[in-house]
Structure formats: structure tokens, C-alpha cells
């Protein structure tokens, strides 16, 4: 296994050819470490790695790097997220080094939602570099042992580099090319935006496979179980870049209110089953937003337990 | 041109609340073209401030002058004789105006009458849009005349991000996604490969990030 | 027709309401008018195509400006009627007169009476 890039559990699982299953955990809007640890325990043993979000939706929270370090203490593997909105290349570089020093081995490079959506819309946005350049920066630090300025790093941070992909943003025809760009910049794995429109995603994946992208990186399909019909409606109308087909909303509305969450999980599980068979899909990224306590059940019913030990 | 907006009247009134004798200085440059700080707008503001003050039963004398430009010392020089006669002077130019005036006449108190917004142009009568961020190293030609630095909400160099929907930006249904336009233009031209490269991170030293900037034309210097 | 309208209304003729400027309206208020209104042609019937539409926006601007400085915006209005509607002209004049009477004299006059 000497040819591993980072040696992270996620990398090993994927490399061994297992169907990967990752989760997500948002740091608290405060310093409540106990609650954070509780949330983490629901994920332990049920996923291969857990995304630790970085001021998700531009809402200020505990630093992703700190929550990632706590997660390591708790015996889980973090996928440390970093957005380009909140810091410049100096801040990012030091956090990449710091995260690695704390034991972080997976990193997800993101642009970040515009601060307009968050709780500090008055903030100055940074965007010194963009997500593509961040991917290239982490790769350069890892593979060449150099900073962006070409100066040498004494010990390289060996990160397994992740990137996001949203097949449902526009223009659709360009999306697969942007994915290719991320792969060429150095992304080892991709986690997609929440998928609901399966027809469109099948078409997208066919294109990605045809372009040979799935030979060069691992694609994890993003799944977020709908908790209710109103949530589906909200995501359809209010969340940019998410596509919720009318059929799904109808399906959720078709059952009683108290059963809508179960129906949402059922749909998510059907998706997982299809992804297991879908060409080019290496795993699922299960984003059960503020639903960590349901993860043991979701993993169980998705038939992905026990998680492989590699 | 530099596009500005007039400050809220409340703010301007507050600036001069203790003044009885005020000079408004307009500018015939950009702010005249964007109808916010030229002769006409100076007259309107003067009339408005006078109405407001009269309403309180108090006196306010306002004199008006509109000079060629407030970003050149030779025109700033033109108010030399009069500028000292007032309790306050409101500049109706972009942010350069009140600074050049303050620098030339340190004894006088100058106030900005405008909020300076951006470098842009009129897309229709009465509507101006941002086109340039003044980053100091223009790359517009690489994007077929569409600037991602000024016009993408995240200034990203490899767009469009995941928030682009139906040609519009995630921040507002009224803001176009410039990357959507860049991509479509490249596709029409069959030059998609232009966008399949990862550009080096931008060198922001040429922008404001490198500190306040200065432009020198050696051939124009007097000495 | 022998229609009458309040004698305190002073009519100022312009070639088209498009000629009426923000400044004309503001200056009228500043100089002590208790109210000022623009009587323009019916929308869509401007001889200069959009003169009345443009002035409608200027009137809106002036109303907003007055509001911002605490003067009743109802003191400035715009009406649309055709040149054949003499009756309507008198009606509007009375309507505006009544409204201004209700508002009382302009605060500029009240506070500068001495």
C-alpha cells in the first residue's frame, strides 16, 4: 500500500474497491463540545469518514479544524472542509499544515456559499483563490512539497484531496467539464451535491464515465434524506443549485405528515441501492443534516454495515 | 465611469446641522454623467436642504458651484477664494473630491455628499452596472470581454460555482451569473478548451490588496 | 362652461408636462407654495410620447424627497386628464385645494411667519 497518497481510511476503503459511505457533521454554533461529541458517536462505525463543515451556509460556527481534531480524539476520521470565502492563501496554507499536524488526512476544497446567505452578511468576502486553485494548492503541497510561492515545505501534508461537484447547477452541459477540471487540478475524490433528480444524474454520470473521469477519481454520490414535504418544497424553491423533481414532492405529500420522514429515508435508501450498481460511483456521501442520531439506522438499512476495516 | 449614489438626506442633514452657511461643490466628471453630482443634482440638493431647514424655521444659506473635475488640483484651485467663507462644504464628487479639497484647504471641513459605488456604465437610461474591479491586471480578453473578477459574486476564476441557476447568481435573482455567460460564449465559439485549464492564483499585489496605488507617467513629469 | 376653481391656484403653462422638472416642484415648495400639482395629458396620449410618464417619475422623486425631510408628500401630486375635460380640471383643482386645506399651510410658512 506504499502508493497511497495520504493513507487515510477513506482512501484505503476506496482503493480496496469497497463501496464507500461517508457522513457529515456540522460543528456547533458555540463551544458545546459535549453535544458535538454526542453527534459524532452516532456516526462512529457507521461511515468511513465524516465531513466536518466549514461555516456551512456562511453561518459562523466552531472552526472546522478544531471540530476535526475533536473528531479524531473521538476515534472517527474527519473529512476537513475548507471554503475560499473566509480566508486567503496564507490562512488556508497554515490551516492545511495545522490540520495535517492534528492528524487530518482528508480535505474537501470548496468555494463556499456567498456570505449573503449567512448570519454575517456584512462580512467582507475573501476569495483570494477559488476552489480549483485550492485543490491545486493542496496537491502541490502534498506532491511537490512546495508552498504556492514555490518555497519548500519541510514536511509535506499528505492529504487525500476532495472536491465538490454539483451536476444540477447551470449550465448543465458544462458541469461535467468543470468536474474534469477539478480532477485535473488534483481532486482524488468527489462528493456531489444532494441528488434528487436521478434521471439527470444518470445522464451526468454517463458523461463522466465516457470522459474517463471515473478512472481518475472516486465519485461519491450525495444523498440527503428529506425529512418532510415542506423541506422538499423549500429545497426545490429556495436552495440554489438543488433540483427536486415534482414526483418526489408528490410522493412525500402522498403519505401522512408523520410518515413523511420515513418516506424520505425510503427514497434515500432506494437511491443508495441504485448507486451501488451505478457505473463510476464509488460510494455515497450521506448528508443527514441535523439528523446524526438517525445515522445508525440509515447505515443499517442501507446495507453498508459493518464498515470495512482496511 | 465612477458610479455613485447620493447619501441619504438624513445623513447629509446631520452633517450640516450646526451650519448656517454651506457650499455645495459639484463635479462635471463621472458623477455628472451618472446624474448624481453635477450642476443639476447640486441644485436639487440645495433646494431640498433649504426646504428642510425652512421647515424648522431656521436660516440656511447655500451657495453652489460645479467645477470641471474634483480630481485635478488645477480645478480644486478654482474655489480657493470662496471655500473659506462657509461653515461647511459638501462635495458632490466621488470619494476623490472631498479628499482633494481637504488636502488643498486643510482649514475647512469638507463632507462627502455621495457614496461612491463602483466602476461601471449605463446599461439603460437610469441604470448603471458594475463592470470593473480595478484589480490592476486585466484579464478580460481571456473571458471574451466578460470580467469574472468584477462580475462574479465570488470573483472566482473557474466558474460557474454550484450556485448558478438558470443564468442567475445564487445571491439574487436580479444578478446575472457572469460565468454562465462566459461558458455559453465559449461554447458558441467552440472554444471550451479555454476553460479547461487551471489558472494560477491571481497576483493581487496590483489590486488594492497591495496597498494604496499610484500611477506614474515619466514622460509627463515636469522635473 | 363657467366652471370655477379656487382663485388661490396659480396656473403655470408649459408646452408639455415633460418640461416640468424636479427643481420646479422643489422650488415652488421652497418659495412658499402650500402645494403644487402637475396636470398632464392622459397616459399614452402625450404628444411627445412619454413626457407625462417621465414627469410622473419626477413627481414620485419629489414626493419621496419631501417625505425624507419630513414634509407631507401629499403637497405634491400629479393628475392626468385630457384638454377636453374642463369639468375634470375644475374637479381636480377643488380636490387638491381641499386636500391642502386639510393639511394646513406648509410648515415652511408656519415656521417663517415672522
Amino acid at each position: 500500500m506504499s502508493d497511497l497518497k495520504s493513507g487515510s481510511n477513506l482512501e484505503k476503503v476506496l482503493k480496496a474497491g469497497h463501496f464507500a459511505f461517508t457522513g457529515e457533521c456540522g460543528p456547533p454554533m458555540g463551544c458545546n463540545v459535549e453535544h458535538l461529541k454526542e453527534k459524532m458517536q452516532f456516526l462512529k462505525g457507521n461511515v468511513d469518514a465524516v465531513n466536518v463543515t466549514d461555516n456551512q451556509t456562511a453561518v459562523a460556527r466552531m472552526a472546522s479544524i478544531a471540530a476535526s481534531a475533536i473528531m479524531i480524539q473521538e476515534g472517527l476520521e474527519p473529512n476537513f472542509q475548507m471554503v475560499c470565502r473566509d480566508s486567503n492563501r496564507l490562512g488556508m496554507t497554515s490551516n492545511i499544515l495545522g490540520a495535517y499536524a492534528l492528524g487530518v488526512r482528508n480535505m474537501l476544497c470548496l468555494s463556499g456559499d456567498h456570505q449573503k446567505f449567512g448570519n454575517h452578511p456584512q462580512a467582507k468576502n475573501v476569495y483570494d483563490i477559488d476552489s480549483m486553485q485550492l485543490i491545486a494548492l493542496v496537491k502541490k503541497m502534498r506532491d511537490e512539497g512546495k508552498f504556492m510561492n514555490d518555497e519548500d515545505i519541510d514536511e509535506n501534508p499528505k492529504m487525500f484531496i476532495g472536491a465538490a461537484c454539483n451536476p444540477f447547477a447551470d449550465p448543465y452541459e458544462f458541469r461535467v467539464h468543470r468536474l474534469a477540471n477539478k480532477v485535473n487540478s488534483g481532486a482524488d475524490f468527489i462528493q456531489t451535491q444532494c441528488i434528487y433528480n436521478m434521471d439527470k444524474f444518470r445522464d451526468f454520470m454517463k458523461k463522466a464515465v465516457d470522459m474517463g473521469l471515473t478512472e481518475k477519481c472516486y465519485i461519491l454520490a450525495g444523498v440527503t434524506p428529506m425529512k418532510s414535504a415542506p423541506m422538499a418544497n423549500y429545497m426545490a424553491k429556495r436552495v440554489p443549485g438543488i433540483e427536486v423533481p415534482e414526483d418526489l414532492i408528490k410522493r412525500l405529500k402522498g403519505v401522512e405528515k408523520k410518515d413523511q420522514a420515513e418516506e424520505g429515508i425510503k427514497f434515500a435508501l432506494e437511491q443508495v441501492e441504485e448507486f451501488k450498481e451505478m457505473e463510476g460511483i464509488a460510494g455515497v456521501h450521506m448528508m443527514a443534516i441535523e439528523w446524526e442520531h438517525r445515522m445508525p439506522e440509515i447505515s443499517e438499512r442501507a446495507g453498508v454495515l459493518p464498515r470495512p476495516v482496511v | 465611469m465612477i458610479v455613485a449614489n447620493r447619501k441619504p438626506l438624513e445623513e447629509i442633514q446631520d452633517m450640516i446641522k450646526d451650519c448656517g452657511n454651506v457650499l455645495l461643490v459639484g463635479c462635471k466628471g463621472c458623477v455628472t454623467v451618472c446624474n448624481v453630482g453635477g450642476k443639476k443634482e447640486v441644485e436639487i440638493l440645495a433646494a431640498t436642504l433649504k426646504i428642510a431647514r425652512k421647515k424648522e424655521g431656521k436660516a440656511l444659506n447655500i451657495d453652489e458651484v460645479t467645477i470641471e473635475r474634483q480630481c485635478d488640483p488645477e480645478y480644486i484651485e478654482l474655489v480657493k477664494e470662496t471655500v473659506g467663507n462657509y461653515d461647511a462644504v459638501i462635495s458632490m464628487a466621488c470619494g476623490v473630491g472631498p479628499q482633494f479639497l481637504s488636502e488643498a484647504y486643510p482649514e475647512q471641513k469638507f463632507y462627502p455628499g455621495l457614496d461612491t459605488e463602483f466602476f461601471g456604465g449605463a446599461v439603460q437610461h437610469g441604470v448603471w452596472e458594475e463592470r470593473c474591479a480595478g484589480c490592476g491586471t486585466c484579464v478580460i480578453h481571456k473571458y471574451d470581454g466578460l470580467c469574472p473578477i468584477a462580475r462574479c459574486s465570488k470573483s472566482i476564476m473557474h466558474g460557474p460555482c454550484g450556485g448558478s441557476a438558470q443564468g442567475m447568481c445564487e445571491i439574487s435573482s436580479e444578478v446575472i451569473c457572469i460565468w454562465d455567460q462566459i461558458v455559453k460564449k465559449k461554447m458558441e465559439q467552440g472554444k471550451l478548451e479555454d476553460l479547461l485549464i487551471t489558472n494560477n492564483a491571481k497576483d493581487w499585489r496590483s489590486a488594492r490588496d497591495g496597498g494604496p496605488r499610484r500611477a506614474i507617467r515619466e514622460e509627463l513629469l515636469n522635473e | 362652461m363657467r366652471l370655477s376653481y379656487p382663485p388661490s391656484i396659480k396656473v403655470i403653462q408649459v408646452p408639455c408636462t415633460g418640461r416640468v422638472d424636479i427643481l420646479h416642484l422643489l422650488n415652488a415648495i421652497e418659495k412658499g407654495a402650500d402645494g403644487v400639482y402637475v396636470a398632464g395629458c392622459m397616459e399614452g396620449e402625450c404628444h411627445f410620447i412619454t413626457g407625462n410618464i417621465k414627469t410622473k417619475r419626477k413627481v414620485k422623486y419629489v414626493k419621496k424627497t419631501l417625505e425624507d425631510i419630513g414634509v407631507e408628500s401629499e403637497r405634491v401630486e400629479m393628475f392626468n386628464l385630457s384638454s377636453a375635460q374642463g369639468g375634470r380640471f375644475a374637479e381636480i383643482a377643488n380636490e387638491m385645494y381641499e386636500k391642502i386645506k386639510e393639511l394646513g399651510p406648509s410648515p415652511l410658512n408656519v415656521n417663517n411667519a415672522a
Side-chain angles (χ1 to χ4, degrees):
Chain A
M1 293 285 234
S2 60
D3 54 346
L4 285 171
K5 291 170 173 171
S6 70
S8 76
N9 182 59
L10 179 60
E11 180 180 11
K12 285 192 270 188
V13 166
L14 286 165
K15 190 145 178 116
H18 298 293
F19 188 75
F21 203 65
T22 56
E24 189 154 306
C25 184
M29 290 168 73
C31 305
N32 193 339
V33 174
E34 289 317 307
H35 180 60
L36 177 63
K37 286 180 178 173
E38 273 168 37
K39 289 206 296 184
M40 288 175 181
Q41 288 311 315
F42 291 120
L43 291 150
K44 195 169 180 177
N46 296 316
V47 291
D48 302 312
V50 180
N51 284 37
V52 182
T53 53
D54 183 13
N55 290 341
Q56 71 205 70
T57 59
V59 169
R61 291 166 180 272
M62 180 188 288
S64 172
I65 189 170
S68 294
I70 292 168
M71 184 173 277
I72 293 169
Q73 288 167 13
E74 291 299 295
L76 289 91
E77 179 170 284
N79 179 20
F80 168 55
Q81 296 195 2
M82 183 182 274
V83 297
C84 300
R85 176 193 61 230
D86 301 338
S87 55
N88 64 12
R89 64 191 79 180
L90 275 154
M92 288 173 150
T93 302
S94 68
N95 271 328
I96 294 163
L97 296 175
Y100 186 76
L102 290 166
V104 171
R105 297 294 178 266
N106 308 302
M107 207 183 137
L108 191 73
C109 306
L110 305 165
S111 298
D113 294 321
H114 194 272
Q115 72 275 10
K116 183 177 178 172
F117 297 104
N119 62 354
H120 291 78
Q122 307 85 349
K124 181 164 181 166
N125 69 6
V126 183
Y127 294 111
D128 173 21
I129 59 176
D130 62 22
S131 58
M132 208 69 75
Q133 292 161 338
L134 176 58
I135 294 165
L137 170 63
V138 184
K139 184 177 166 63
K140 183 173 181 173
M141 291 171 77
R142 179 189 70 194
D143 296 349
E144 297 172 40
K146 288 185 185 304
F147 290 101
M148 187 179 274
N149 65 3
D150 288 332
E151 283 175 18
D152 291 332
I153 295 174
D154 61 1
E155 193 180 322
N156 311 3
K158 296 190 187 65
M159 292 286 188
F160 193 43
I161 305 170
C165 164
N166 184 2
F168 308 102
D170 291 320
Y172 174 67
E173 317 80 67
F174 186 64
R175 286 290 142 186
V176 75
H177 294 290
R178 190 157 191 263
L179 172 62
N181 214 357
K182 288 194 173 179
V183 173
N184 294 334
S185 296
D188 301 310
F189 70 101
I190 297 289
Q191 290 173 319
T192 77
Q193 175 65 283
C194 320
I195 301 156
Y196 297 106
N197 185 341
M198 293 296 279
D199 290 340
K200 198 168 187 176
F201 189 68
R202 281 180 208 115
D203 178 71
F204 178 82
M205 279 310 297
K206 192 175 174 309
K207 287 190 167 83
V209 169
D210 290 347
M211 281 173 73
L213 300 178
T214 53
E215 303 291 314
K216 297 183 204 161
C217 81
Y218 303 103
I219 297 182
L220 277 62
V223 175
T224 292
M226 289 291 191
K227 295 178 184 177
S228 65
M231 171 180 172
N233 248 329
Y234 178 84
M235 288 180 91
K237 292 198 178 99
R238 292 295 161 92
V239 184
I242 290 200
E243 222 175 283
V244 185
E246 199 50 47
D247 285 356
L248 175 58
I249 299 175
K250 254 190 219 154
R251 179 172 160 180
L252 292 167
K253 278 185 183 157
V255 300
E256 277 188 54
K257 208 168 176 194
K258 63 173 174 52
D259 299 327
Q260 286 179 354
E262 173 58 23
E263 200 61 31
I265 291 178
K266 272 189 192 153
F267 177 73
L269 295 174
E270 289 162 21
Q271 288 182 292
V272 174
E273 286 313 307
E274 183 169 350
F275 291 138
K276 285 179 184 170
E277 306 301 323
M278 195 179 283
E279 195 183 353
I281 291 294
V284 160
H285 177 44
M286 182 63 69
M287 294 167 271
I289 303 164
E290 289 307 313
W291 238 15
E292 287 86 354
H293 65 282
R294 301 291 300 263
M295 275 304 283
E297 178 202 340
I298 291 170
S299 293
E300 174 70 43
R301 291 173 64 188
V304 296
L305 295 183
R307 295 311 307 149
V309 179
V310 284
Chain B
M1 80 189 95
I2 292 175
V3 180
N5 260 331
R6 200 200 58 217
K7 275 187 174 291
L9 287 168
E10 203 184 341
E11 198 179 335
I12 298 176
Q13 282 179 271
D14 190 56
M15 287 170 176
I16 59 160
K17 64 177 186 296
D18 300 320
C19 307
N21 195 19
V22 172
L23 177 68
L24 296 190
V25 189
C27 176
K28 292 185 192 167
C30 311
V31 294
T32 289
V33 186
C34 67
N35 304 72
V36 70
K39 185 169 180 288
K40 172 82 176 287
E41 293 77 39
V42 164
E43 284 178 46
I44 290 173
L45 179 62
T48 305
L49 293 174
K50 280 191 251 182
I51 292 172
R53 194 61 75 87
K54 253 191 190 171
K55 188 186 125 236
E56 309 298 327
K58 294 183 213 149
L60 175 65
N61 175 62
I62 299 189
D63 287 337
E64 304 161 23
V65 59
T66 298
I67 59 179
E68 211 57 35
R69 282 194 294 281
Q70 292 187 30
C71 50
D72 262 323
E74 61 186 286
Y75 299 112
I76 294 288
E77 183 77 18
L78 298 177
V79 294
K80 188 177 180 178
E81 301 303 323
T82 51
V83 84
N85 303 336
Y86 300 89
D87 302 330
V89 180
I90 298 175
S91 163
M92 299 280 281
C94 71
V96 178
Q99 295 193 61
F100 265 43
L101 285 163
S102 298
E103 286 164 31
Y105 310 112
E107 304 298 315
Q108 181 55 278
K109 182 85 180 160
F110 293 94
Y111 293 92
L114 307 182
D115 288 321
T116 306
E117 309 244 317
F118 54 81
F119 304 149
V123 289
Q124 69 178 73
H125 192 62
V127 181
W128 292 266
E129 271 181 11
E130 183 159 19
R131 285 291 183 271
C132 177
C135 72
T137 36
C138 194
V139 290
I140 287 170
H141 55 293
K142 292 187 183 170
Y143 305 103
D144 295 322
L146 302 161
C147 178
I149 308 289
R151 301 178 68 186
C152 164
S153 301
K154 301 177 183 173
S155 295
I156 62 176
M157 306 283 281
H158 305 87
C161 77
S164 176
Q166 281 141 31
M168 305 312 278
C169 173
E170 67 178 19
I171 70 155
S172 160
S173 56
E174 285 174 9
V175 175
I176 59 154
C177 171
I178 198 65
W179 268 105
D180 184 84
Q181 299 201 352
I182 293 170
V183 166
K184 283 181 179 154
K185 209 161 168 182
K186 289 285 186 196
M187 279 178 163
E188 275 166 24
Q189 296 171 349
K191 286 185 177 171
L192 202 56
E193 67 274 11
D194 290 357
L195 300 180
L196 302 182
I197 40 167
T198 303
N199 297 292
N200 286 334
K202 192 172 172 72
D203 182 345
W204 295 105
R205 278 176 297 185
S206 57
R208 236 298 304 171
D209 308 84
R213 292 165 281 178
R214 183 178 222 193
I216 302 172
R217 316 262 176 275
E218 295 281 353
E219 71 279 17
L220 298 176
L221 299 178
N222 286 329
E223 308 161 28
Chain C
M1 282 197 274
R2 292 191 178 277
L3 295 163
S4 68
Y5 63 89
S8 59
I9 293 177
K10 181 174 160 67
V11 176
I12 300 169
Q13 286 188 328
V14 285
C16 164
T17 42
R19 178 66 187 87
V20 177
D21 190 70
I22 288 169
L23 267 174
H24 294 133
L25 303 173
L26 283 176
N27 286 340
I29 296 292
E30 186 199 336
K31 300 251 153 62
D34 294 314
V36 48
Y37 67 97
V38 182
C41 299
M42 302 300 284
E43 286 189 13
E45 288 174 17
C46 175
H47 292 290
F48 303 96
I49 304 168
T50 56
N52 49 1
I53 303 289
K54 283 176 177 151
T55 290
K56 184 176 159 188
R57 296 201 186 102
K58 297 178 208 168
V59 170
K60 197 174 155 197
Y61 176 96
V62 172
K63 286 171 78 75
K64 171 79 172 59
T65 298
L66 292 180
E67 226 165 76
D68 287 350
I69 57 174
V71 175
E72 303 94 334
S73 63
E74 299 92 323
R75 293 187 185 277
V76 176
E77 293 295 353
M78 175 147 183
F79 297 93
N80 297 88
L81 72 167
S82 83
S83 54
Q85 293 176 295
R88 178 73 185 131
F89 182 87
E91 198 177 290
I92 288 166
N94 285 312
E95 201 178 298
M96 191 69 190
Y97 178 80
E98 286 306 321
K99 188 154 61 172
I100 298 298
K101 221 167 89 178
E102 213 173 286
L103 287 170
S106 157
L108 277 71
N109 296 336
V110 175
N111 293 329
N112 293 279

